[in-house]
Amino acid sequence: MKYYEVEFTISPLSQDARDILSAMAGEAGFETFEDSPTGLTGYIQQPLFDASALDSVVSSFPIDGISIIYNVREADYQDWNQQWEQEGFEPIVIGRQLFIHDGRHLGDTDLSTFSCAVEIDARLAFGTGTHETTRMICSTLLQQPFRQHAATGSPLHVLDCGCGTGILGICALKLGAARCTAYDIDEWSVDNTRHNSVINHVDHLMTILHGDATLLDSLTDRFQLVMANINRNILLEDLPRFVNIMSPDAKLILSGFYRTDCQQLTDKAQHLGLTLQGEQHDGEWACLLFSNNQHSTQH
C-alpha cells in the first residue's frame, strides 16, 4: 500500500497543538505521526486521503491564534522500508511477562525469563509494539485465560482485524491461543504477517487473509477473542461484523483511537449487545475491552 507523507507546520508550535492536530487528523484517516521541528508529520494510505477533510481539520482547529499549513508528498516506500529494516527498535517489555524484539537489539537478554517472547521484523513503524495502542492490547492479552481454556478442552480461536505485522495474533498464539485468523487490506501487511508468523514458529496456527472486514461475511468460524487496532471511524463501521462472528461469551479488544472516542464506541458496542468490561489509557490513546455475554443467544 502506498502512503502520503503530510508535513504539518504549526505556528506558534506547542505540544498541545501537536496532540490535538494528531487526534483530528486521525479521525480523517491518518494512521501514524512523528513530531517534526516545525510541527508534525503524518502518514495516510493514498486511497484514504481526502483533501477536503484535511482542509476542514485545519479550518476548524480549536485553538485560537494557531496557524497550520501542510504539504503533501508521496512517501518513498522503498526508503521507508529500508530505514526501519536498518534501525529496528529497542526491545519492549509489557507487564514484565511479554518481551517484543526485532532480533537485533537483544544484547545479553535471557528470553527464558519471560513467559512470552515475540520477534517482529521492523520493516515499518506500524505494529512493532512501540505504539501505545499496540502495547495496551498486548497488556490486555496478558490478562486473558488462554491456557486455562486450553486445559479445559475449549482452546481459543482469535481474530486479528487489520493485522499489520501480525504482532497481536502472534502474541495471542504464544500466550496459549489455539488458532488465529488475521486479515489486512494492505497486501504488504499480509506478507509481513506471514513472514513474522514463520520466524515465531506459529505459521501452522495462522490463517492470513487479504481484504477488509467484508470478508468476515463469508467466514463460518466463530471466534472467542477478536482484536482490532484501527481508527475510530473504521471500527464504528466494522463493529456489527465483529459481533456477528463472535462466539457466546467472546471478548472484543479495541484500540487505535483516542480517549475522546471511547463514549461513541462504547455506545455503539452496547447497542449491539456488548458489555464494557475494561478501559485503559496511555496518554491520549485508549483501549476498550468488551464481552458479548448479552449477545450469546444470537448465535
Side-chain angles (χ1 to χ4, degrees):
M1 182 69 68
K2 292 185 177 181
Y3 282 78
Y4 284 129
E5 181 180 271
V6 179
E7 187 69 35
F8 296 95
T9 300
I10 305 171
S11 180
L13 180 61
S14 69
Q15 191 58 48
D16 284 345
R18 278 193 180 117
D19 292 344
I20 293 173
L21 178 58
S22 64
M24 295 177 69
E27 294 181 3
F30 281 75
E31 292 185 9
T32 192
F33 301 91
E34 298 173 347
D35 288 351
S36 70
T38 58
L40 202 64
T41 303
Y43 297 91
I44 184 171
Q45 293 181 22
Q46 291 187 10
L48 299 180
F49 180 77
D50 184 339
S52 61
L54 192 54
D55 289 340
S56 178
V57 166
V58 172
S59 64
S60 62
F61 197 73
I63 302 180
D64 292 336
I66 295 288
S67 169
I68 299 173
I69 60 175
Y70 67 87
N71 179 54
V72 182
R73 56 183 174 267
E74 186 169 316
D76 192 329
Y77 185 83
Q78 184 63 32
D79 287 350
W80 204 14
N81 275 356
Q82 288 177 352
Q83 178 184 353
W84 278 93
E85 288 173 358
Q86 292 167 3
E87 294 180 1
F89 60 95
E90 291 299 318
I92 301 145
V93 178
I94 299 175
R96 299 183 180 178
Q97 303 173 61
L98 175 59
F99 187 81
I100 301 170
H101 65 95
D102 67 0
R104 283 162 288 181
H105 296 81
L106 283 173
D108 57 358
T109 303
D110 182 2
L111 296 181
S112 66
T113 61
F114 298 92
S115 58
C116 180
V118 175
E119 180 176 346
I120 296 295
D121 259 2
R123 294 183 176 176
L124 284 176
F126 313 129
T128 59
T130 58
H131 197 276
E132 293 91 334
T133 59
T134 309
R135 292 200 302 265
M136 284 189 288
I137 294 182
C138 288
S139 175
T140 305
L141 286 175
L142 288 173
Q143 303 168 24
Q144 304 310 305
F146 292 108
R147 302 199 187 282
Q148 292 92 314
H149 277 272
T152 58
S154 56
L156 299 185
H157 187 183
V158 303
L159 177 67
D160 185 356
C161 309
C163 53
T165 60
I167 183 172
L168 300 179
I170 292 168
C171 284
L173 289 169
K174 288 206 161 189
L175 289 169
R179 290 185 297 150
C180 175
T181 298
Y183 72 87
D184 201 292
I185 195 172
D186 185 347
E187 188 172 358
W188 177 90
S189 293
V190 171
D191 291 341
N192 193 228
T193 295
R194 290 196 182 101
H195 171 71
N196 286 324
S197 71
V198 170
I199 64 176
N200 283 278
H201 310 293
V202 295
D203 50 301
H204 60 296
L205 301 175
M206 292 195 77
T207 300
I208 305 163
L209 307 172
H210 180 213
D212 61 15
T214 59
L215 62 79
L216 300 179
D217 298 341
S218 62
L219 297 185
T220 57
D221 289 346
R222 291 294 176 265
F223 299 88
Q224 291 77 50
L225 177 65
V226 177
M227 306 170 289
N229 189 8
I230 311 174
N231 72 61
R232 182 201 66 183
N233 291 341
I234 294 178
L235 288 175
L236 289 169
E237 181 179 349
D238 292 349
L239 263 170
R241 286 190 164 96
F242 296 164
V243 173
N244 285 339
I245 48 80
M246 292 168 66
S247 67
D249 299 317
K251 300 291 179 61
L252 172 66
I253 307 172
L254 300 179
S255 196
F257 48 87
Y258 301 98
R259 300 173 70 153
T260 53
D261 299 323
C262 287
Q263 191 59 57
Q264 187 175 4
L265 284 161
T266 299
D267 289 345
K268 180 67 175 283
Q270 290 177 337
H271 176 73
L272 293 168
L274 302 180
T275 301
L276 181 65
Q277 288 200 323
E279 178 177 337
Q280 59 177 309
H281 305 135
D282 189 339
E284 64 188 298
W285 300 96
C287 178
L288 298 173
L289 173 66
F290 296 96
S291 169
N292 78 327
N293 56 343
Q294 294 182 357
H295 192 75
S296 60
T297 58
Q298 295 192 22
H299 295 302

